[in-house]
Amino acid sequence: MVIPYNKPYLTGKETFFIEDAVNKGKISGNGIYTKKCQTYFEEKYGFKKCLLTTSCTDALEMCAILLNIKEGDEVIIPSYTFVSTANAFVLRGANVIFTDSKSNHPNVDETKLEALITTKTKAIVVVHYAGVACEMDTIMELARKYNLYVVEDAAQAVDSYYKEKPLGSIGHLATFSFHETKNIQCGEGGLLVINDEQFFDRAEIIWEKGTNRSAFFRGEIDKYGWVDIGSSFLPSEINAAFLWSQLENIQDIQNKRIQHWNYYYKNLSFLKKYGVRLPEIPQTATNNAHMFYLVCTSLRERTNLISYLASIGVNAVFHYQSLHKSSFYRNKHFGEDLPMSNIYSERLVRLPMYYELMEKELIYIVSKIKDFYA
Ligand SMILES: *Cc1c(COP(=O)(O)O)cnc(C)c1O
């Protein structure tokens, strides 16, 4: 038996919608399928304005431009995250101030943020790890107190909630990913969510290469031109058509993943007696089953577990390495070491999680983990 870590889910209708997009004769960006997807997110989750992008990385780069991040500005970002969360702001000249995770969750420790705020701080970027919400009330309150912007990197957090508010609807800006490793996917794709109305017009301009082309096509102006900086952040209609087929099936996809997640949780709870930690979902958060992970007691134990599972055909994988210790950033990080981030870098392991995972595969994985610990 070979069980991959991830297998991108296909609804079966992707090529039908792609063919339709092709037949409509306009496959560049900002067409019918792009609008359908954007409207879907605006209506279902109450996001004020949505723009489809070619990736979450691009949506994060748009955030840094929208917030006018300049040389010397400080942006507070968790160290335990994907490189794009930080890179998007570094590209604009920001000094990234890395902060630590919580002891019971890889999410940012909201109690550590206030001490890092200076007169140069412009924004806090939070990452809803595994689709589980950060403590957003505390974070938004800090932002109000110090006049900062909050960006939610909700790459993993589609269809997940904090106190009944959809993730992505709380910060001034938010970003999602539709990379093939995410719950809802189109190969490569992303979404920028703009909740603060002051950014509506400029976001469209940045998206369309620094031109006011979108306003022109709506008939609001009689010619369009170069009005600001920008880039080509919009995906083709082919990607949007693919994404549309996934959105039509979102409930089914989420239900199936949650079933798998619950199976793991129930049947791996015995690991607690070995000191292995299972994911914790706070009272304030929902679980979108983006990921099922374990936190081992040491790096050595994790390495052995991963290689044991690999030897019997199960592909379990570790995750981020602390960004404050990366070769690119370690000489630029002047803060303290970040022990929790280092612990997750060394001990966290992710188990196979995808729609098509079968019950007999789940049973196999769990029984092999039992064998390993016995
Ligand atoms: C996947 C991911 C990204 C990057 O998404 P892309 O669409 O591949 O650019 C960024 N941040 C986090 C937290 C992610 O999980």
Side-chain angles (χ1 to χ4, degrees), residues 225-360:
W226 187 15
V227 295
D228 203 335
I229 60 168
S231 192
S232 184
F233 288 117
L234 62 176
S236 112
E237 278 286 286
I238 295 176
N239 288 47
F242 188 114
L243 184 62
W244 179 249
S245 80
Q246 300 258 317
L247 293 177
E248 275 200 334
N249 285 272
I250 192 165
Q251 213 45 62
D252 179 39
I253 295 170
Q254 300 297 82
N255 290 345
K256 194 60 141 231
R257 295 181 73 107
I258 288 168
Q259 264 177 32
H260 298 337
W261 198 98
N262 288 341
Y263 183 89
Y264 276 137
Y265 192 82
K266 181 160 173 274
N267 292 284
L268 289 173
S269 288
F270 75 94
L271 285 173
K272 290 176 190 160
K273 73 168 181 268
Y274 298 101
V276 175
R277 283 164 42 204
L278 271 59
E280 281 183 35
I281 315 287
Q283 289 291 322
T284 48
T286 60
N287 175 23
N288 73 348
H290 172 62
M291 185 195 298
F292 192 90
Y293 63 83
L294 301 172
V295 184
C296 295
T297 63
S298 67
L299 172 60
R300 194 187 148 86
E301 177 185 315
R302 182 182 75 175
T303 307
N304 291 340
L305 176 61
I306 290 175
S307 51
Y308 172 71
L309 290 174
S311 75
I312 47 107
V314 176
N315 193 4
V317 293
F318 58 84
H319 209 187
Y320 305 129
Q321 299 301 298
S322 291
L323 291 178
H324 74 285
K325 289 170 75 171
S326 62
S327 64
F328 179 66
Y329 220 82
R330 65 178 167 241
N331 297 323
K332 304 178 183 71
H333 176 73
F334 296 114
E336 305 165 12
D337 198 16
L338 305 170
M340 293 319 303
S341 175
N342 297 340
I343 282 179
Y344 295 115
S345 303
E346 293 189 347
R347 302 186 196 169
L348 186 144
V349 53
R350 298 173 289 160
L351 302 182
M353 173 58 83
Y354 51 91
Y355 183 98
E356 283 175 62
L357 205 50
M358 287 179 293
E359 194 178 1
K360 67 167 199 249

Side-chain angles (χ1 to χ4, degrees), residues 9 19 58 80 106 116 139 147 151 156 162 176 211 215 222 236 240 273 319 348 351 365:
Y9 173 64
E19 207 175 319
D58 268 357
Y80 193 72
L116 299 175
I139 292 160
N147 212 7
V151 177
Q156 306 171 10
Y162 172 77
F176 287 88
T211 72
D222 56 16
S236 112
K273 73 168 181 268
H319 209 187
L348 186 144
L351 302 182
I365 296 166

Side-chain angles (χ1 to χ4, degrees), residues 132-144:
V132 173
C134 298
E135 244 343 295
M136 292 310 290
D137 280 353
T138 311
I139 292 160
M140 295 311 292
E141 189 46 48
L142 272 178
R144 265 188 293 277

Side-chain angles (χ1 to χ4, degrees), residues 76-87:
I76 302 173
I77 296 177
S79 180
Y80 193 72
T81 183
F82 190 61
V83 63
S84 296
T85 320
N87 208 19

Side-chain angles (χ1 to χ4, degrees), residues 54-58 60 81-85 127-129 153-156 175-179 181-182 188-190 290 319-320:
T54 43
S55 63
C56 180
T57 301
D58 268 357
L60 286 161
T81 183
F82 190 61
V83 63
S84 296
T85 320
V127 179
H128 303 300
Y129 188 78
D153 179 344
Q156 306 171 10
T175 63
F176 287 88
S177 173
F178 309 119
H179 185 263
T181 50
K182 305 303 200 290
E188 300 275 358
H290 172 62
H319 209 187
Y320 305 129

